[in-house]
Amino acid sequence: MHSAERYGQGSGRRTFLQNCAGRWRRAGRAVAAAALAVLWLGAMALSAAPGAQNQKNNKNQKQPEITGLGSLVPLPDAQAIELMVSQMLGAWQIGDVEMLHKHYADDVLVVSGAWEPPLQGWKNYLRAYQAQHARTQSIRLDRRNTYVKVQGDTAWCTYQWDFNGQVDGNPSSAAGHTTLVLQKRAGTWVIVLNHTSVAPAPQRAVPASAVPPGSQPEIRPPSASSPGA
């Protein structure tokens, strides 16, 4: 009995120890796996951190803004001249001298629709333009039949125009042709010659009953600052 009991006790101890060893081995493998997982996650975090930081930096960086025509793709010369003429005539109508000067060379020569000597230079033209503009109100200018020819750094542009408005408080209208000679200087087209001719005003059929007596619009040829000049 004693020997059997001792055998049973010994066998139980071995079984207990074996079970413990098995649990320790399994626990050790679990700990090792967890440690490997921690190391792997740490490596992934380190590798992802620069990218995330770069994305954050990119978000914080100010993106370039596209402003103004200079930021756009340059237009072909003929289209650039068309745009310039529209801007010039717009400035002429509203009296924007600064914008107007951007499109005229300092050595420009201006031939008006009136019987008068040509105006030489921007300053002389500016004086005539401001004097004429001070007398006009409610200006409207329509341009049509525009043709542009470009040859190297020189070009010409011709068009017809219709002018309607008030001069010295009286209704006034006129029509004519303008031819511009342009040069490209420092990458920008500027007007070096402006020749304007006044044509007979187009006849518009108006019923006599629709025109009150004494209200017939007065037709005056433009002077030095005629449309397009």
Side-chain angles (χ1 to χ4, degrees):
M1 287 293 295
H2 295 290
S3 60
E5 289 177 0
R6 286 195 299 270
Y7 175 78
Q9 291 174 358
S11 177
R13 291 193 194 96
R14 284 194 298 274
T15 302
F16 173 76
L17 293 174
Q18 289 174 354
N19 291 337
C20 289
R23 286 195 293 270
W24 291 339
R25 283 195 295 271
R26 287 193 295 273
R29 287 196 294 269
V31 171
L36 289 174
V38 170
L39 291 174
W40 181 79
L41 290 173
M44 290 295 292
L46 289 174
S47 62
Q53 185 65 31
N54 289 336
Q55 291 180 357
K56 184 177 180 181
N57 291 337
N58 290 336
K59 289 181 180 179
N60 292 333
Q61 289 178 356
K62 186 177 181 180
Q63 298 298 322
E65 298 179 357
I66 299 177
T67 56
L69 293 175
S71 301
L72 303 178
V73 176
L75 293 173
D77 286 327
Q79 294 183 26
I81 291 172
E82 277 268 12
L83 177 60
M84 184 271 286
V85 171
S86 295
Q87 293 174 341
M88 180 270 291
L89 292 177
W92 181 88
Q93 292 182 74
I94 65 176
D96 190 336
V97 173
E98 183 178 353
M99 175 63 72
L100 197 63
H101 191 195
K102 289 181 179 179
H103 304 302
Y104 277 91
D106 288 334
D107 58 346
V108 66
L109 183 67
V110 178
V111 180
S112 75
W115 181 252
E116 58 188 11
L119 298 173
Q120 300 185 34
W122 163 256
K123 291 182 178 180
N124 289 326
Y125 166 67
L126 177 61
R127 281 193 292 268
Y129 166 75
Q130 290 179 320
Q132 178 73 6
H133 190 270
R135 301 169 53 201
T136 60
Q137 302 84 32
S138 303
I139 299 173
R140 173 169 176 169
L141 182 71
D142 295 318
R143 173 170 63 100
R144 64 190 67 188
N145 296 329
T146 301
Y147 296 92
V148 177
K149 174 70 174 180
V150 179
Q151 189 169 1
D153 289 339
T154 303
W156 57 258
C157 172
T158 185
Y159 54 87
Q160 294 174 296
W161 48 265
D162 290 318
F163 168 83
N164 288 279
Q166 292 185 350
V167 178
D168 297 330
N170 299 313
S172 178
S173 62
H177 305 268
T178 292
T179 298
L180 307 174
V181 178
L182 307 100
Q183 288 183 351
K184 182 181 275 190
R185 298 180 179 180
T188 301
W189 288 102
V190 292
I191 301 168
V192 296
L193 173 65
N194 183 320
H195 189 286
T196 294
S197 301
V198 178
Q203 296 297 321
R204 297 180 176 87
V206 179
S209 59
V211 182
S215 64
Q216 183 68 29
E218 181 182 0
I219 299 176
R220 299 182 180 182
S223 63
S225 57
S226 56

